[in-house]
Amino acid sequence: MTKYIDEAKAILAANDRGGYTVPTDRLYPFQWNWDSAFVAMGFAAYDIDRAYRELERLAEGQWTDGMIPHIVFHQPSDSYFPGPDVWRTNHVIPTSGITQPPVFAMALRKIYETAVATGSVENKRTLTLYEAALKWHRWWYSARDPEGTGLVALLHPWESGSDNSPAWDVALARVATTTETPVVRKDIGHVNPQMRPRDEDYGRFIHLLDTYAACGWDPVEQWQQAEFKIADIQTSAILLKAGEDLHYLAAVLGRAGEADEIAVLNERTRQALKAQWRSHLSRFVSRDLLAGEDVVAATQAGFIPLLALDLDEATADAAAAEMRRWCKGMKVVFPTTEPLSASFEAKRYWRGPAWAIINWLLIEGLHRNGHAGFAAELRQSTISAIETEGFAEYFDPKTGEGCGGLGFSWTAAAYIALEK
Ligand code: 2M8
């Protein structure tokens, strides 16, 4: 069924820069956090050693406080903005100063279980990576949920991975577009500017970066100075799913005390996530902590909690029905913005296009919540889109056209993983 597995593996090989995988050549010439976690799950299907290695190289960038940054700049490159000189983080291995969705422990469990099944488990490597993941989860809870609400907050849209999502429009409108650092975009020299965030988005992204650099990247200081603070359901759901996987690993690795600690954190997030369900919208909503308001923009994030929650049947059915409504008339699903909403843009990055890795998370969420048939349709749509258009960064849901960067690592990893 999946005809292009060798091509997918060839893309991961071509994007290898020495034990870590760049998302794609030139456009993204460094190691990105959640990209690498998805890629590691792709590698787990056929090369356990390389899968471990991907996470190990990412963990090289971990800060002493536990944060795993969103970019690790292992080698210099002048084809991306903002580079290490803009981030000014003074980490031994240059890194960015913000983080990204914590898929890491999900990948580690996948690697571990596959390795056990094939007799290739490496206990020391597993344990070291488990400890890195635990440290990172603790960081999320202390740095990004200091009040213990159960939901973790993002201080920068780049931390969401869904950079220019309509979900951030209201909150970002309060952030100035002026910057101390000159904005010298490189992305629009690589791909069509109409597929990318707008200049005013970049102004705000860099304005926030400058603010946090001025805090010396101290999490407490940043929390106080933040002009963007969203308790995000997509990130919190991924943290909970990864937390479940971390709990599993703690148990199999004989870390009973840590397993108890993780279980408590997970339960708090589980309850908090459940409370973000809005029945009149048939989806979950994030919370703008500075405005004290729900984030009501209709984006894919509203359904990501299915990944980590066991919903009652009525709620799961309502969410699935709403998802189906968004899919009507689409050539490729799942659109990352509700297609009838004013903010939907079929080709502009996180404002509408379908992304293989988001589908991957939604497929797991639908399976978990009793909608295996719909999950199979979503899987088929993802595979067909890739087989028709290639391993594009993402897809125009209306036409199916492959957009953004090509030869994209996480699209290749998703293709490999969805074969299973
Ligand atoms: C995109 O984000 C980067 C910033 O992190 C960018 O546009 O420069 C997003 O799609 C993000 O989710 C992804 O991890 C990254 C690399 O693929 O690109």
Side-chain angles (χ1 to χ4, degrees):
M1 174 150 187
T2 38
K3 306 182 275 194
Y4 298 113
I5 289 294
D6 290 344
E7 285 78 353
K9 291 180 183 174
I11 283 170
L12 295 187
N15 289 337
D16 188 316
R17 296 290 180 274
Y20 71 92
T21 310
V22 298
T24 186
D25 194 34
R26 309 258 331 135
L27 180 62
Y28 300 123
F30 308 110
Q31 186 174 24
W32 257 260
N33 187 324
W34 75 326
D35 296 64
S36 272
F38 286 113
V39 160
M41 290 195 271
F43 277 130
Y46 64 100
D47 187 346
I48 290 293
D49 173 62
R50 186 60 185 76
Y52 274 120
R53 197 78 198 107
E54 188 74 31
L55 295 187
E56 287 164 352
R57 298 252 33 206
L58 183 61
E60 285 173 19
Q62 186 164 35
W63 288 17
T64 48
D65 68 3
M67 182 181 79
I68 303 186
H70 100 295
I71 308 175
V72 184
F73 301 107
H74 292 287
Q75 299 164 38
S77 167
D78 61 5
S79 69
Y80 182 81
F81 173 87
D85 52 321
V86 177
W87 288 98
R88 296 159 275 168
T89 58
N90 291 324
H91 192 263
V92 185
I93 299 174
T95 71
S96 70
I98 58 172
T99 192
Q100 253 191 340
V103 181
F104 190 99
M106 291 166 57
L108 183 58
R109 177 176 179 174
K110 179 90 193 151
I111 295 167
Y112 175 80
E113 288 192 316
T114 315
V116 167
T118 55
S120 52
V121 73
E122 295 193 49
N123 290 328
K124 179 139 193 319
R125 293 177 96 180
T126 308
L127 193 62
T128 304
L129 289 170
Y130 158 81
E131 284 172 348
L134 175 61
K135 228 175 136 185
W136 191 23
H137 282 230
R138 285 176 175 152
W139 174 88
W140 271 109
Y141 284 104
S142 65
R144 296 312 181 79
D145 184 22
E147 282 144 35
T149 66
L151 298 179
V152 290
L154 308 178
L155 304 187
H156 195 295
W158 278 336
E159 296 195 308
S160 69
S162 309
D163 308 349
N164 63 337
S165 168
W168 319 134
D169 288 358
V170 173
L172 271 185
R174 299 191 300 261
V175 176
T177 55
T178 50
T179 63
E180 280 162 33
T181 301
V183 179
V184 189
R185 295 183 64 172
K186 303 273 175 82
D187 56 321
I188 45 180
H190 302 302
V191 297
N192 182 342
Q194 310 224 322
M195 296 182 182
R196 295 290 307 174
R198 297 182 160 86
D199 280 344
E200 55 266 36
D201 298 320
Y202 264 78
R204 293 180 166 118
F205 295 162
I206 301 304
H207 180 94
L208 291 171
L209 189 165
D210 282 338
T211 305
Y212 303 139
C215 296
W217 298 106
D218 173 61
V220 176
E221 187 74 11
Q222 285 175 253
W223 186 262
Q224 283 160 4
Q225 300 297 328
E227 294 170 68
F228 178 93
K229 198 186 282 182
I230 307 278
D232 177 44
I233 42 165
Q234 176 162 298
T235 309
S236 297
I238 290 172
L239 184 67
L240 175 54
K241 175 66 177 73
E244 289 178 343
D245 292 342
L246 197 60
H247 180 259
Y248 167 89
L249 288 165
V252 297
L253 295 171
R255 300 290 188 99
E258 289 165 3
D260 291 346
E261 174 195 344
I262 298 161
V264 170
L265 297 173
N266 288 350
E267 184 55 24
R268 199 200 296 158
T269 297
R270 191 171 291 125
Q271 296 314 327
L273 258 185
K274 278 187 183 157
Q276 293 309 109
W277 172 256
R278 297 290 176 269
S279 50
H280 65 288
L281 299 173
S282 294
R283 53 186 163 83
F284 294 83
V285 295
S286 295
R287 186 105 187 130
D288 182 333
L289 295 181
L290 296 178
E293 287 167 1
D294 281 352
V295 175
V296 291
T299 73
Q300 88 289 342
F303 307 105
I304 299 290
L306 273 72
L307 176 71
L309 297 177
D310 298 304
L311 301 171
D312 62 72
E313 205 178 318
T315 307
D317 288 353
E322 178 65 0
M323 286 178 72
R324 278 201 182 276
R325 192 179 67 77
W326 294 24
C327 295
K328 274 199 202 107
M330 296 296 114
K331 186 145 183 205
V332 168
V333 293
F334 186 73
T336 44
T337 299
E338 199 256 306
L340 299 176
S341 73
S343 37
F344 176 83
E345 293 180 79
K347 285 189 173 44
R348 199 182 290 278
Y349 222 40
W350 288 94
R351 301 184 72 84
W355 295 72
I357 51 117
I358 291 296
N359 288 0
W360 185 351
L361 300 176
L362 292 172
I363 289 165
E364 288 198 15
L366 287 168
H367 262 295
R368 179 171 186 157
N369 284 284
H371 285 270
F374 191 11
E377 288 171 41
L378 202 45
R379 173 184 172 276
Q380 191 48 51
S381 182
T382 314
I383 288 174
S384 307
I386 296 170
E387 293 187 345
T388 310
E389 289 284 317
F391 295 91
E393 186 176 6
Y394 59 85
F395 299 88
D396 176 332
K398 287 192 144 170
T399 63
E401 184 190 339
C403 299
L406 301 176
F408 219 87
S409 296
W410 68 15
T411 311
Y415 187 80
I416 294 166
L418 292 175
E419 188 209 15
K420 298 274 146 192

